[in-house]
């Protein structure tokens, strides 16, 4: 446009002035006019062409320069973009994390090498495809919904995803996702960074399980267990250690002995640690220890160093087991009411106040006329019935008199000591609510009771379980105090006897719980809530199933109740007879059914309690069950305990002979945990001995367990009996038992207890082999 305008102006000017000049110069000479007109035309063409060239050249040259600059800039930009692409691709594909991007339709526009390795698909095959290529339909739909929420939210967020790949593999991912925007903030897709944490979660879960198991074992141990780092700071300090030392767990962890113990105790501990680090060996010894509370209990101490698999030391451990036979206490005893009718208020055998006197004294102590706090000690002799049964009542009476003298010698003359039953004593102890006084007295009493009583040329050992209720903390009347002291005494027995226990409201709650559970158990029997599980017994040579043990399980809608809980309750409540009959019926029915179906399962082993075995109707019950279930008795193995045999060996031998004659197999369960008499064992019609699980645990590390197991196996072989080991869980245990000629095993190494509905396919499998 500019050139055209210039040209138009120049043309007008030229024509106007050039014609006037030509006319003036030609002087009306036609020839000259023509010649000048030609010159003027040629000059105009040359001049305009030159001007046009100059104008066009300037314009094109400027455009060429600009074009060339743009080309160079574009080339540089393309090179920089290519470098950035290479850099981005290198970074993306060097990452082990999966990095990807999708368009708005969910199709992949970026998929790095890490993503390809994660799903085992080449990245180039994924571009342009959706999640259906990589994951199951359900997982792809789940991802699509999460992508939609991410785009809708417009923000970057992190979350965990559990997905199933197209190959059917369950995986867990830690994912970072966010939207992709143009420069104008328009969303055109989303990006994601995903990391496979499946193995990490599995390792973490295993680690948490191992830590939980380790913590549970350590804190459940009655032994005091402590572990310190090489800096001498405690990193493990279990509840038993806290009880032993009087130092709370929280106050011990992370601290040294100097920080938590008196200097004299800390010096002893530091000296032991120094010797350990110097000698680098495990030390086991018996030691009397001065505790912060002033007591001097005797402990079996095991100390040593902890090291890694490479032998690098990282800590010091100590295990303290209380083996104290004597616990000395000095205690003041409550003054007893002395003025009442002697014959009506005293026990004729021991000359002690009786229950009537005790009630009157308690009423007086709790009526307000006596305002001093006191402790009510309920003492029950452990195993006294067995003493009477074994040695006669005359022997038992003499023992009670000796116990009475012991109590009278232990406590001051004005102490109120009463005998309220056959082997029950109740003592009122003035303590002003100071439990340390009670602790001292109880340890002293238990110590003395650990010495034998020499009666009629017999050394008799007897222990006591003691329950303690505090007035007025635990009760304000005689009945309430006696009830709670009795509950505490039963807790002491449950703790293993030969100990004492203060009352806790938990005991009352436990008693209510046990009563409620007994009622529920009775209903469960009536409504068939109980179920039999079966644990296979395996021949160690053929590894075939040669039998199964029937194990009773109880599942309520709220929880699964352990047999260790409801079996003792059944024994206490008398329901054990009904439970035992239920298991016999169910076991015989299933054994008969399997036999009719041609399944090879050996025998069904059924536990028989001592109360069942000695019940007057037991043989009749067996006959009735066999008739009702049409079961061949040869399919059943009755498991009995050592203790049930030794209560009356002669009678038991005769009974078992009758049972054996009916066709049943008989085994002794948990062999080795009782006090077997070989003279009776050789006469018993026993087919099998079952080695108790307690001997199998730690069999590879405890020489005594190895010796016991080898002895039992040799004993069984010598008596022509089969021998089975219970609780086998590892290949090493199996190898040891197999090398020592065990016949069969039962344990988690092969099978856990299996519901009856699930064991049948297993038996069918063995049938088809």
């Amino acid at each position: 446009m500019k050139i055209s305008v210039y040209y138009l102006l120049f043309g007008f000017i030229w024509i106007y002035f050039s014609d006037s000049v030509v006319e003036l110069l030609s002087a009306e000479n036609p020839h000259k006019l023509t010649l000048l007109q030609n010159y003027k035309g040629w000059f105009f063409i040359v001049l305009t062409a030159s001007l046009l060239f100059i104008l066009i050249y300037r314009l094109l040259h400027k455009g060429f320069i600009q074009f060339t600059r743009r080309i160079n800039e574009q080339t540089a930009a393309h090179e920089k973009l290519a470098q950035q692409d290479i850099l981005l691709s290198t970074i993306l594909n060097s990452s082990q994390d999966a990095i990807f991007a999708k368009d708005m339709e969910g199709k992949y526009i970026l998929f790095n090498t890490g993503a390809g390795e994660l799903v085992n698909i080449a990245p180039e095959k994924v571009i342009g495809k959706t999640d259906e290529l990589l994951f199951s339909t359900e997982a792809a739909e789940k991802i699509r919904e999460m992508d939609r929420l991410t785009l809708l939210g417009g923000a970057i967020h992190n979350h965990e995803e559990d997905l199933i790949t197209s190959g059917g593999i369950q995986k867990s991912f830690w994912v970072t996702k966010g939207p992709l925007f143009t420069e104008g903030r328009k969303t055109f897709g989303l990006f994601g960074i995903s990391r496979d944490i499946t193995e990490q979660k599995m390792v973490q879960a295993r680690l948490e399980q191992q830590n939980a198991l380790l913590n549970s074992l350590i804190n459940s141990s009655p032994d005091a267990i402590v572990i310190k780092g090489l800096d001498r700071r405690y990193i493990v300090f279990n509840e038993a250690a806290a009880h032993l030392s009087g130092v709370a767990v929280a106050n011990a962890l992370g601290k040294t002995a100097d920080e938590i113990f008196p200097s004299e105790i800390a010096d002893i501990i530091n000296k032991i640690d120094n010797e350990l680090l110097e000698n680098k060996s495990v030390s086991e010894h018996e030691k009397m220890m001065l505790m912060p509370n002033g007591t001097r209990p005797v402990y079996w101490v095991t100390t040593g160093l902890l090291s890694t698999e490479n032998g690098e030391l990282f800590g010091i451990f100590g295990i303290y087991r209380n083996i104290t036979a004597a616990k000395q206490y000095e205690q003041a005893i409550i003054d007893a009411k002395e003025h009442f009718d002697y014959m009506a208020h005293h026990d004729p055998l021991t000359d002690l106040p009786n229950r009537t006197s005790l009630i009157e004294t308690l009423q007086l102590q709790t009526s307000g006329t006596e305002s001093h706090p006191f402790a009510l000690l309920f003492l029950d002799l452990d195993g006294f019935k067995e003493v009477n049964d074994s040695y006669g009542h005359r022997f038992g009476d003499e023992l009670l008199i000796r116990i009475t003298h012991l109590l009278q010698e232990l406590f001051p003359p004005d102490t109120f000591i009463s005998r309220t039953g056959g082997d029950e004593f109740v003592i009122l102890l003035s303590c002003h609510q100071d439990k340390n006084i009670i602790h001292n007295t109880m340890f002293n009493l238990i110590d003395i009771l650990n010495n034998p009583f020499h009666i009629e040329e017999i050394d008799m050992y007897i222990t006591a379980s003691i329950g303690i209720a505090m007035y007025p903390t635990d009760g304000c009347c005689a009945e309430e105090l006696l009830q709670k002291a009795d509950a505490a005494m039963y807790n002491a027995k449950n703790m293993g006897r030969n100990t004492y226990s203060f009352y806790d409201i938990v005991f009352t709650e436990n008693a209510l719980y046990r009563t409620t559970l007994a009622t529920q158990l009775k209903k469960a029997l009536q409504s068939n809530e109980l179920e039999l599980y079966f644990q296979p017994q395996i021949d160690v040579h053929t590894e075939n199933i040669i039998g199964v043990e029937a194990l009773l399980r109880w599942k309520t809608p709220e929880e699964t109740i352990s047999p260790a809980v409801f079996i003792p309750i059944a024994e206490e409540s008398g329901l054990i007879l009904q439970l035992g009959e239920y298991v016999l019926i169910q076991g015989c029915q299933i054994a008969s059914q399997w036999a009719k179906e041609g399944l090879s399962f050996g025998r069904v082993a059924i536990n028989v309690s001592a109360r069942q075995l000695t019940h007057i109707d037991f043989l009749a019950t067996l006959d009735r069950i066999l008739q009702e279930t049409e079961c061949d008795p040869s399919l059943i193995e009755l498991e009995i305990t050592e203790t049930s045999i030794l209560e009356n060996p002669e009678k038991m031998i005769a009974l078992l002979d009758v049972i054996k004659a009916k066709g049943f197999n008989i085994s002794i369960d948990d062999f080795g945990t009782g006090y077997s008499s070989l003279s009776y064992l050789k006469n018993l019609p026993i087919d099998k001995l079952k080695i108790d699980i307690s001997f199998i645990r730690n069999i590879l590390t405890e020489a005594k367990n190895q010796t016991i197991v080898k002895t039992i196996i040799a004993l069984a072989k010598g008596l022509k009996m089969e021998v089975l080991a219970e609780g086998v869980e590892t290949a090493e245990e199996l190898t040891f038992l197999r090398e020592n000629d065990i016949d069969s095993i039962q344990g988690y190494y092969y099978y856990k207890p299996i519901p009856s509905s699930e064991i049948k396919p297993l038996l069918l499998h063995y049938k088809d082999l």
Side-chain angles (χ1 to χ4, degrees):
M1 179 63 71
K2 187 184 294 186
I3 293 173
S4 298
V5 171
Y6 287 160
Y7 182 77
L8 180 62
L9 291 174
F10 179 78
F12 281 140
I13 295 171
W14 173 261
I15 293 172
Y16 179 79
F17 287 103
S18 65
D19 286 346
S20 299
V21 173
V22 169
E23 185 178 354
L24 181 64
L25 293 177
S26 64
E28 297 181 354
N29 184 346
H31 177 73
K32 189 176 180 179
L33 178 62
T34 301
L35 184 59
L36 289 174
Q37 286 286 355
N38 289 333
Y39 287 155
K40 182 189 75 169
W42 285 108
F43 179 77
F44 178 78
I45 291 171
V46 170
L47 182 60
T48 56
S50 298
L51 292 173
L52 184 63
F53 171 78
I54 291 170
L55 291 173
I56 292 175
Y57 175 79
R58 289 182 60 190
L59 183 64
L60 291 179
H61 181 68
K62 182 178 180 181
F64 176 76
I65 291 174
Q66 292 177 348
F67 176 76
T68 302
R69 179 168 50 79
R70 286 197 299 269
I71 290 297
N72 291 336
E73 289 175 351
Q74 290 179 357
T75 301
H78 280 300
E79 290 177 354
K80 185 175 182 180
L81 184 61
Q83 291 175 353
Q84 291 176 344
D85 286 343
I86 293 173
L87 177 61
L88 179 61
S89 176
T90 302
I91 293 173
L92 291 176
N93 290 318
S94 298
S95 174
Q96 294 182 349
D97 294 340
I99 303 175
F100 58 88
K102 304 178 189 177
D103 60 18
M104 298 299 289
E105 296 179 355
K107 295 180 180 179
Y108 284 95
I109 57 177
L110 172 66
F111 204 78
N112 75 335
T113 303
E117 293 175 351
L118 195 63
V119 296
N120 200 26
I121 298 178
E124 60 270 14
K125 294 182 180 180
V126 179
I127 302 300
K129 302 296 192 300
T130 63
D131 288 306
E132 277 77 1
L133 176 67
L134 310 178
F135 303 101
S136 65
T137 303
E138 295 78 5
E141 181 63 29
K142 179 180 177 182
I143 295 173
R144 191 157 38 247
E145 176 61 19
M146 297 179 73
D147 290 349
R148 184 185 70 79
L149 295 175
T150 299
L151 293 172
L152 187 63
I156 298 174
H157 64 92
N158 300 303
H159 64 276
E160 185 178 320
E161 292 182 0
D162 294 318
L163 302 172
I164 300 177
T165 66
S166 59
I169 301 174
Q170 176 79 37
K171 287 193 173 185
S172 298
F173 304 92
W174 182 252
V175 182
T176 299
K177 284 186 178 180
L180 294 171
F181 299 103
T182 64
E183 292 183 358
R185 296 297 295 175
K186 181 180 179 181
T187 304
F188 69 90
L190 65 81
F191 76 90
I193 303 174
S194 182
R195 175 171 296 176
D196 187 350
I197 59 172
T198 306
E199 184 65 25
Q200 177 184 338
K201 287 186 67 178
M202 292 174 62
V203 171
Q204 182 66 26
R206 287 196 296 267
L207 183 61
E208 290 176 355
Q209 290 175 352
Q210 290 173 355
N211 286 339
L213 176 60
L214 180 60
N215 289 333
S216 177
L217 290 175
I218 289 176
N219 287 313
S220 297
S221 173
D223 297 342
I225 301 175
V226 297
I227 299 177
K228 292 178 281 190
L230 294 180
D231 59 357
R232 309 293 180 90
R233 296 189 179 276
Y234 289 98
I235 56 179
V236 172
F237 199 87
N238 72 346
E239 294 294 339
H243 180 74
L244 162 64
S245 64
V247 178
V249 175
N251 294 334
L253 295 178
K255 297 180 181 178
T256 64
D258 294 315
E259 294 173 316
I260 63 176
F261 292 115
S263 59
E264 60 270 20
I265 297 177
D267 291 342
I268 295 173
I269 294 174
N270 291 330
K271 180 180 179 182
I272 294 173
D273 292 345
N274 292 334
E275 291 175 353
L276 285 173
L277 290 171
E278 182 179 350
N279 299 328
K280 292 183 173 56
S281 61
V282 175
S283 171
E284 291 186 315
H285 58 279
E286 183 180 303
K287 188 173 185 61
M288 176 178 289
M289 302 180 65
L290 173 62
M291 305 314 300
N293 59 11
T295 59
R296 294 178 178 272
V298 179
Y299 280 83
W300 182 258
V301 181
T302 302
T303 54
L305 301 178
L306 297 171
S307 59
T308 64
E309 293 181 354
N310 298 327
E312 182 180 354
L313 297 179
F314 67 89
I316 305 169
F317 75 89
I319 303 174
Y320 302 81
R321 174 165 295 178
N322 191 336
I323 58 171
T324 308
K327 310 294 181 185
Q328 297 184 346
Y329 286 85
E330 293 181 357
Q331 190 69 283
I333 305 301
I334 192 171
D335 294 332
K337 182 87 174 164
E338 293 183 353
H339 301 291
F340 42 80
D341 184 15
Y342 187 85
M343 294 301 295
H345 294 80
H346 284 76
D347 171 46
L349 175 65
T350 62
D351 209 25
L352 289 174
N354 61 14
R355 185 175 182 81
T356 302
S357 178
L358 171 66
I359 296 299
E360 292 178 356
T361 303
L362 281 175
Q363 289 173 344
L364 179 62
Q365 293 279 32
T366 58
S367 64
T369 57
E370 294 285 343
S371 60
H372 301 297
F374 63 88
L376 183 68
L377 281 56
F378 194 111
L379 183 150
D380 183 271
L381 298 179
D382 301 321
F384 183 74
K385 180 179 181 299
E386 286 75 12
V387 173
N388 269 340
D389 293 343
S390 302
Y391 300 102
H393 287 278
R394 184 170 58 84
F395 189 99
D397 289 345
E398 179 61 26
L399 179 59
L400 290 172
I401 293 172
R402 298 285 186 92
I403 295 291
T404 300
H405 292 162
L406 183 152
L407 295 176
Q408 291 173 333
E409 292 171 1
L410 175 65
F411 298 115
D414 58 351
T415 301
F416 183 88
I417 305 171
S418 64
R419 180 189 175 208
T420 59
D423 57 354
E424 296 175 353
F425 296 84
V426 177
I427 304 165
L428 272 66
L429 180 61
S430 178
C431 58
H432 301 286
Q433 294 185 334
D434 183 358
K435 288 190 177 182
N436 282 332
I437 298 176
I438 303 174
H439 281 298
N440 292 334
T441 304
M442 292 304 97
F443 278 120
N444 195 19
L445 175 58
I446 292 173
D447 174 31
I448 296 173
L449 286 175
N450 274 280
N451 295 318
F453 293 91
H454 190 70
I455 303 172
E456 297 181 0
E457 305 302 318
I458 296 174
D459 283 335
M460 172 57 60
Y461 288 86
I462 192 77
T463 60
S465 298
I466 307 162
I468 306 168
M470 303 295 296
Y471 171 80
T473 306
D474 297 329
C476 296
C477 67
E479 182 180 356
E480 190 176 10
L481 285 171
L482 284 170
Q483 177 187 358
K484 292 182 176 179
D486 184 65
M489 183 273 293
Y490 274 104
N491 182 65
K493 286 190 177 294
N494 291 334
M495 291 166 61
R497 303 186 177 189
N498 194 26
T499 187
Y500 66 96
S501 171
F502 285 90
Y503 172 75
D504 191 293
I505 191 172
V506 174
F507 303 161
T508 302
E509 294 173 350
N510 287 342
L512 179 60
Y513 171 76
R514 295 171 73 85
T515 302
T516 304
L517 205 63
T519 303
Q520 292 176 345
L521 181 58
K522 190 170 184 178
K523 293 179 180 178
L525 274 168
Q526 297 170 350
S527 56
N528 292 322
E529 290 182 14
L530 301 173
E531 180 183 1
L532 283 190
Y533 276 48
F534 297 89
Q535 187 172 31
Q537 299 172 339
I538 307 300
D539 186 301
V540 296
H541 304 294
T542 65
E543 295 193 338
N544 288 334
I545 294 177
I546 60 168
V548 295
E549 182 178 4
L551 301 168
L552 192 60
R553 295 294 184 265
W554 181 13
K555 294 182 179 179
T556 69
E558 295 77 22
E559 61 180 336
T560 297
I561 301 175
S562 168
V565 174
F566 70 82
I567 293 298
I569 293 176
E571 291 177 342
E572 292 174 6
S573 62
L575 288 173
I576 192 65
L577 295 176
Q578 297 178 47
L579 275 185
E581 184 173 343
Y582 174 87
V583 175
L584 280 170
I585 292 173
Q586 296 297 318
C588 288
Q589 282 180 345
I590 291 176
S592 178
Q593 179 183 344
W594 287 346
K596 291 176 182 178
E597 294 175 359
L599 297 180
S600 176
F601 63 91
R603 298 183 183 89
V604 175
I606 301 174
N607 288 278
V608 178
S609 71
R611 291 189 63 179
Q612 276 182 277
L613 199 62
T614 57
H615 194 272
I616 190 172
D617 292 329
F618 181 67
L619 292 177
T621 299
L622 280 181
D623 292 336
R624 174 174 53 80
I625 292 174
L626 291 177
Q627 184 177 2
E628 290 175 354
T629 61
E630 299 180 351
C631 179
D632 184 347
S634 65
L635 301 175
I636 304 299
E637 178 178 296
L638 299 180
E639 294 189 358
I640 59 177
T641 62
E642 292 179 77
T643 53
S644 62
I645 296 173
L646 294 177
E647 287 181 358
N648 194 331
E650 291 82 6
K651 179 180 179 181
M652 197 55 60
I653 291 173
L655 176 63
L656 294 180
D657 282 335
V658 174
I659 294 174
K660 182 70 176 175
K662 292 180 180 294
F664 292 94
N665 267 49
I666 302 173
S667 65
I668 296 182
D669 193 21
D670 300 336
F671 186 78
T673 59
Y675 302 91
S676 300
S677 173
L678 298 183
S679 62
Y680 292 120
L681 185 62
K682 68 179 182 180
N683 296 320
L684 289 168
I686 301 299
D687 303 291
K688 182 187 296 182
L689 295 183
K690 296 185 71 175
I691 303 176
D692 185 64
I693 187 175
S694 61
F695 300 118
I696 305 303
R697 289 290 172 270
N698 303 320
I699 195 171
L700 302 177
T701 58
E702 293 188 10
K704 292 181 179 179
N705 278 10
Q706 294 180 7
T707 302
I708 292 172
V709 170
K710 291 178 181 178
T711 302
I712 294 175
I713 294 175
L715 174 66
K717 298 293 183 180
L719 296 175
K720 308 300 182 183
M721 299 177 186
E722 296 178 24
V723 59
L724 177 146
E726 296 181 300
V728 178
E729 296 183 357
T730 67
E732 291 78 7
E733 292 171 352
L734 174 60
T735 300
F736 174 87
L737 293 167
R738 181 182 283 140
E739 290 174 353
N740 285 279
D741 204 26
I742 197 77
D743 294 316
S744 55
I745 69 166
Q746 178 179 335
Y748 280 25
Y749 179 79
Y750 281 106
Y751 299 102
K752 297 180 179 180
I754 304 170
S756 58
S757 59
E758 297 177 14
I759 196 171
K760 187 174 179 180
L762 182 63
L763 298 178
L764 285 171
H765 169 75
Y766 276 89
K767 176 184 176 182
D768 295 334
L769 291 179

